[in-house]
Amino acid sequence: MDRNKLNEYALKQEPICRENDMISPILFKEYGVKKGLRDENGKGVLTGLTNISKIISSTTVNGKKEPCDGQLWYRGYRVETLINSLDENEFGYEKIAYLLLMGQLPTNEQLKEFKQMLGECRKLPTNFTRDVIMKAPSDDIMNSMTKSILTLASYDPNVKDTSISNVLRQCIQLIAEFPLLAIYGYNAYNHYEKYESMFIHHPDPNLSTAENILMLLRPDKKYTQTEAKVLDTALILHMEHGGGNNSTFTTRVVTSSGSDTYATICAAMSSLKGPKHGGANFKVMEMMDDIRHHVSDYSNEEEVQAYLEKIVDKEAFDRKGLIYGMGHAVYSISDPRERIFKSYVVQLAKEKGKDDDLTLYQNVEKLAPVVIANKRKIYKGVSPNVDFYSGFVYDML
């Protein structure tokens, strides 16, 4: 089938689909139905209960609900407390992964055993990298990972067993394998599509997850302590975010049918990759690249603000009127993850000699709420979320 011919046919049929598939907004209000996981104001809606994590975005004062600085809790611990409890050179991803999975912080012996399990599981089936990951590589690493995860089900003799112990075993294996799926997929794309050199390193069971990711990414396997610490912090801040976010909700929907772990995680990954969820940091990176090309002096606040106004007026960038990385469906005044992450970003930017880029990010962070408030005639502009800076970090790494 000629692809262009099919595209032309689909474009011709689009008006018919629009006419017959349109549902009046009035009906959503009449029946109390939400459009996805947002209300009509774009705020998150309550979709379930969880004791794994908790988000606080408001407090009650004299019987009235008031917005407050956001809080994120993992299993009864504020995320700031968990991160601040780590030693300067300690990597905490594994400890907090144990906390989220098991519901309690591990003892030293339990943590040692858990790290050992992850280290032993951090390998793929024989020839999996060649036969699966390197076949049809894609610049969309989330799609590449999803394909690999679903294929891994074929290598699991107990794929359909949904007992707690077996699902836990599968999840631990996937946690260990995820870095390999992502990085080998990225390396395959660079080699086959961008004609760069191919290198495949084996993971080191004695290194942390963050260290392994950086080691596998680099041709010379080298990384700095700062890079590893910043990445470890990023992994912790993105580990869990309430029972109602898009990918977690998807997980609950799929598991409710009795589906297996691999199919469930693939569905969650497909939900996560969207630009309004986990893919938001990529949109921030695209937007910042666009700003760099149109702003000559990153320190000139007037010039930066003028271009942000064009973005909000749908005259620049993707013409959707959005400043990506600003605001959140649940948090009102601030995102605690962004507050924590910012200091690490500054530290990494200075080490990498990215002071000019940091200045641009800081000016956008400062001016975007003002622009949004003025353009939308609201009292207070929105604050940055964790994705505003995370894309910057991943770009530097």
Side-chain angles (χ1 to χ4, degrees), residues 93-94 97-102 110-124 152 156 163-181 209 261-262 265:
Y93 173 80
E94 292 76 16
Y98 184 98
L99 169 67
L100 291 175
L101 283 172
M102 314 301 181
Q110 288 171 331
L111 181 58
K112 180 180 178 182
E113 183 181 24
F114 184 63
K115 287 181 177 180
Q116 182 180 347
M117 287 295 101
L118 289 177
E120 291 179 4
C121 291
R122 199 168 278 132
K123 57 185 177 182
L124 297 172
L152 282 171
D156 188 341
S163 64
I164 291 177
S165 61
N166 190 59
V167 170
L168 182 60
R169 186 268 303 171
Q170 291 170 328
C171 288
I172 291 171
Q173 278 192 281
L174 287 173
I175 289 171
E177 292 164 343
F178 266 28
L180 308 185
L181 302 182
T209 299
T261 301
Y262 300 93
I265 298 301

Side-chain angles (χ1 to χ4, degrees), residues 318-365:
D318 60 3
R319 290 174 167 74
K320 292 186 177 180
L322 300 174
I323 298 179
Y324 294 94
M326 291 289 151
H328 193 270
V330 178
Y331 294 121
S332 50
I333 293 179
S334 65
D335 182 341
R337 301 167 301 167
E338 187 271 340
R339 295 198 310 265
I340 297 167
F341 205 33
K342 190 186 303 183
S343 63
Y344 291 91
V345 173
V346 172
Q347 186 180 355
L348 182 62
K350 291 187 180 301
E351 179 177 285
K352 293 284 188 176
K354 297 284 186 177
D355 291 335
D356 287 345
D357 285 314
L358 179 62
T359 297
L360 178 60
Y361 268 83
Q362 290 173 331
N363 276 332
V364 171
E365 177 187 10

